[in-house]
Amino acid sequence: MPEVHESGGPGPGDAHFAVFADRADAAAVARSFSRPGTRMLTHASGRPWLVGHWNDQEIVTARVGRAALAVVGCCPVDTAELERRAGRLRDLAELDELARTLPGSFHLVAGLDGQLRVQGTASGLRLVFHAAVDGTQVAATSADVLAAALGTEPDVAQLAVRLLWPVPHPLFEAPMWRGVTAVPPQDALIIAADGRTARRSRWWTPPEPARSLADGAPVVREALAEAVEARTRQGGVVSCDLSGGLDSTSVCFLAARSPARVVASTWPGRDPADTDLHWAERAAGFLPDIEHVVWDADASPLVYTDLLGIDDLLDEPTIGVMDRARVLHHLPGLAERGSRLHLTGIGGDHVAWCSEAYYHRLVRTRPFFALRQLRGFRALWQWPLGGTVRALADSRPYGKWLADSSRRLRGPLPPSVTSGLGWGMTPRLFDWVSPEAERMAEGALRAAAEHAMPLHPDRGLHTDLEQIRSCTRIIRQWDRMAARAGVPMASPFFDDRVIDACLAVRPSERVTPWRYKPLLTAAMRGVVPEACLRRGNKAEASMDASNGLREHRGDLMALWEDSRLEQLGLVDGDALRRLARRPSTPGLRDAILYSTIACEVWLRGLSRPTETQVSTAS
């Protein structure tokens, strides 16, 4: 077994670490990564292999002969199974199959004959970065630790890119520091035995969407049940969101079948038209053995709460800061009720449902079926006929779409049908973004367009994968925040095996204007009562957002009074301060401030622990 040296450690849910080659020069670099509270896992030689933070409950290791394996995160694999795998390992490529079959959400690290392999999840929830530090390649699960080792400062051009709304693929995957490289979620990082060269090896491709709904639903049910079981099999007390929506209700019913005692948590919206509480109470009525906690809607934080007090260490800006207070608010109360882990239904919207953009291809391959469905979507989303025809006729490849987007960054937001049937929402910059920031963002888009490939040739699957990865980049930050608050969070829908099971079902049956989430409804039949499966909508919490703008306009004003972005010349501070005085400005309802707030909060967070001064070099 790899030897562990430690000087303390955090609770579960906050595992993060760096990986080093079995060489003397790498060992010298590893010493600079050691901090109070860090743990170390060593090679057979005694040199550092993993250095970072993890809890004993979230790591399984094995060493047999020339091979060593470590699984860090949530995975029900045991030491005996991992040793069996290590004993048979002859080539690092053989781990592709292991990574594609193990349930849960985890980093997989391997060593064989001096080579290293490090990978995260296809969902993007667990990422891998690498950098050459004093000539040796170091892999890490967070970009900021590599930047600290390099002594590099955030790249202002990257900050300009992050002001886009939204940031398109592949730009949102780029680290915020020069010298740090991101490994795409579908790839594993391979570091050569000399410790100085690194390459990528693809381990995951999305499944062919060939299963019918009838054939795919049992596979989805099994995958989701296995994902929930991986978190609840230890028993104890776990808490679950129970919003009354199909996603959280499914997770809650699966958890209730486990050895764990379940505390269901419902947070009603402030909007009188919000029906979440009605549906949550209906679901709880079928679960007499759970404890159902209903929080006071008026006591729950609004969007934009406590933006000035955020002190989490984040390795990139995230719009998740807007809802940070809301996400964490109920965790202390759940901890008082004994919860060791909080399960969410986040991700169900992204995997059990899918993009209407699949119909761009289906109208060419199954025109009569597609046109009938598109009539329903037009009525559902109020798409105009002319806009729908233009969107369907638009056959630009992804690189051309990205290049064209760079020339219209100041234009109005495109109509929803353009985004719904296209490559995604066209990125925009808003009035308060400076011309210099526009120049940098436009240049980055043009440069990316020269070589950019979509995540899949089918724009529907591309959009699904982009939405999954955009969301998991928020969730990975929330997970660290929650672990720090004392109750780790988990989102079983974002486990790779669940994503695989959902993506394998034909999109024509996953997304339809006539039924709401038909795949999840079919998968949960027999687990969730029919009375709970009949819900055909979800709450939007738009009142919480608009009220938050009004109630926290003072914080927004303070945010822009001493704006780091303004100091860097990236925004017009006067324009932002004028907006803060007018929180009812119609455009603000479309979340157009989110990317700017995310960058400002991130920069402020950097200055708290290190007083880092950002370079203005472009």
Side-chain angles (χ1 to χ4, degrees):
M1 293 290 293
E3 187 177 354
V4 176
H5 305 272
E6 61 181 294
S7 54
D14 192 23
H16 51 281
F17 54 89
V19 186
F20 302 88
D22 189 9
R23 296 179 55 84
D25 51 357
V29 170
R31 283 194 286 272
S32 67
F33 283 73
S34 182
R35 299 285 186 276
T38 56
R39 306 182 72 178
M40 182 187 300
L41 195 67
T42 61
H43 293 282
S45 65
R47 297 187 184 111
W49 182 26
L50 273 65
V51 176
H53 296 267
W54 59 84
N55 186 273
D56 289 338
Q57 300 172 36
E58 53 189 348
I59 186 167
V60 182
T61 63
R63 178 180 289 135
V64 179
R66 302 172 294 120
L69 296 174
V71 174
V72 189
C74 171
C75 182
V77 70
D78 59 23
T79 301
E81 171 64 13
L82 212 57
E83 287 178 342
R84 186 177 69 83
R85 297 277 189 162
R88 298 188 315 186
L89 190 62
R90 298 294 177 268
D91 189 307
L92 289 175
E94 296 170 9
L95 293 175
D96 290 0
E97 186 268 339
L98 178 64
R100 288 193 297 260
T101 54
L102 285 178
S105 175
F106 52 86
H107 283 95
L108 175 62
V109 186
L112 180 67
D113 293 331
Q115 291 187 89
L116 292 176
R117 171 178 167 137
V118 189
Q119 69 183 80
T121 57
S123 70
L125 188 59
R126 296 175 186 266
L127 297 175
V128 175
F129 305 88
H130 69 102
V133 183
D134 291 342
T136 186
Q137 286 289 335
V138 180
T141 59
S142 297
D144 54 344
V145 297
L146 296 173
L150 292 171
T152 189
E153 298 171 334
D155 182 356
V156 170
Q158 268 303 315
L159 274 165
V161 168
R162 296 303 180 103
L163 290 172
L164 290 166
W165 180 255
V167 183
H169 163 80
L171 295 174
F172 68 78
E173 293 184 346
M176 298 301 297
W177 294 271
R178 290 196 183 107
V180 180
T181 302
V183 179
Q186 70 271 15
D187 291 346
L189 177 71
I190 310 295
I191 298 177
D194 64 8
R196 297 188 172 268
T197 57
R199 62 181 176 87
R200 302 197 311 246
S201 174
R202 183 149 191 167
W203 70 272
W204 184 85
T205 54
E208 184 66 26
R211 286 188 189 131
S212 67
L213 185 74
D215 290 339
V219 182
V220 171
R221 177 169 59 247
E222 180 181 357
L224 187 58
E226 195 171 32
V228 173
E229 194 270 341
R231 277 90 177 178
T232 58
R233 62 195 179 97
Q234 299 173 356
V237 180
V238 300
S239 51
C240 298
D241 282 337
L242 183 58
S243 70
L246 290 178
D247 310 327
S248 66
T249 300
S250 298
V251 170
C252 198
F253 271 87
L254 288 169
R257 305 197 310 180
S258 76
R261 184 170 70 82
V262 174
V263 178
S265 173
T266 299
W267 173 7
R270 301 189 184 198
D271 190 337
D274 189 323
T275 60
D276 275 0
L277 180 58
H278 164 76
W279 287 97
E281 289 179 335
R282 174 178 287 192
F286 290 97
L287 296 168
D289 295 330
I290 70 166
E291 178 184 356
H292 186 205
V293 182
V294 179
W295 307 100
D296 180 359
D298 293 328
S300 297
L302 296 166
V303 183
Y304 304 98
T305 296
D306 199 29
L307 292 175
L308 297 174
I310 294 174
D311 60 355
D312 301 287
L313 295 177
L314 309 175
D315 65 351
E316 64 179 340
T318 173
I319 64 172
V321 296
M322 250 64 64
D323 281 314
R324 177 187 181 274
R326 293 154 61 86
V327 169
L328 303 183
H329 182 261
H330 305 311
L331 294 183
L334 294 172
E336 290 172 2
R337 290 165 171 83
S339 177
R340 62 173 178 81
L341 178 70
H342 185 66
L343 301 178
T344 84
I346 299 172
D349 286 339
H350 302 75
V351 302
W353 192 246
C354 65
S355 170
E356 295 88 355
Y358 284 101
Y359 284 87
H360 187 276
R361 173 178 57 83
L362 287 171
V363 80
R364 290 158 172 79
T365 58
R366 299 178 61 192
F368 295 110
F369 166 79
L371 289 172
R372 186 171 63 251
Q373 299 292 92
L374 284 164
R375 280 197 295 271
F377 284 124
R378 284 188 55 225
L380 183 65
W381 304 124
Q382 299 180 326
W383 289 345
L385 177 60
T388 303
V389 171
R390 285 190 294 273
L392 291 170
D394 181 3
S395 295
R396 287 175 296 171
Y398 186 71
K400 179 68 164 58
W401 174 83
L402 205 60
D404 290 346
S405 298
S406 72
R407 292 187 280 270
R408 292 195 292 270
L409 294 179
R410 298 287 192 175
L413 291 171
S416 64
V417 66
T418 303
S419 303
L421 295 174
W423 286 111
M425 184 174 170
T426 308
R428 289 291 184 263
L429 290 175
F430 302 108
D431 294 344
W432 56 84
V433 177
S434 72
E436 177 64 9
E438 181 181 12
R439 182 189 68 79
M440 289 188 281
E442 182 182 346
L445 280 166
R446 284 201 311 269
E450 292 180 6
H451 306 289
M453 298 295 293
L455 292 167
H456 194 273
D458 187 314
R459 62 183 63 192
L461 185 47
H462 163 84
T463 303
D464 279 354
L465 293 174
E466 184 175 45
Q467 290 301 308
I468 288 169
R469 294 181 183 182
S470 295
C471 186
T472 55
R473 293 189 88 93
I474 298 172
I475 304 306
R476 69 186 283 263
Q477 306 288 12
W478 279 352
D479 285 351
R480 287 203 68 176
M481 296 172 184
R484 182 184 177 203
V487 181
M489 291 198 322
S491 302
F493 277 105
F494 278 139
D495 282 9
D496 288 350
R497 302 293 74 76
V498 179
I499 295 171
D500 284 343
C502 291
L503 294 183
V505 176
R506 297 169 191 156
S508 58
E509 297 188 71
R510 273 196 293 144
V511 60
T512 167
W514 318 117
R515 297 169 61 197
Y516 182 65
K517 296 187 181 176
L519 176 57
L520 186 57
T521 300
M524 289 296 102
R525 188 155 284 125
V527 176
V528 176
E530 286 292 329
C532 301
L533 293 175
R534 295 193 191 110
R535 187 173 189 183
N537 60 12
K538 62 179 292 181
E540 295 183 359
S542 56
M543 180 178 287
D544 291 354
S546 59
N547 287 353
L549 265 174
R550 287 192 294 273
E551 291 192 17
H552 297 294
R553 60 184 174 183
D555 285 353
L556 288 175
M557 180 64 74
L559 203 64
W560 308 131
E561 285 291 351
D562 185 28
S563 169
R564 310 309 197 262
L565 289 171
E566 183 180 21
Q567 292 168 16
L568 293 171
L570 297 177
V571 300
D572 179 345
D574 289 336
L576 286 166
R577 287 185 282 274
R578 284 194 298 271
L579 267 181
R581 296 187 192 101
R582 295 183 286 108
S584 296
T585 301
L588 295 181
R589 289 198 297 266
D590 295 320
I592 60 176
L593 270 174
Y594 279 21
S595 59
T596 307
I597 292 174
C599 290
E600 181 67 36
V601 169
W602 184 71
L603 283 172
R604 287 171 177 263
L606 287 183
S607 67
R608 280 192 174 95
T610 62
E611 296 299 319
T612 301
Q613 299 300 312
V614 182
S615 168
T616 57
S618 62

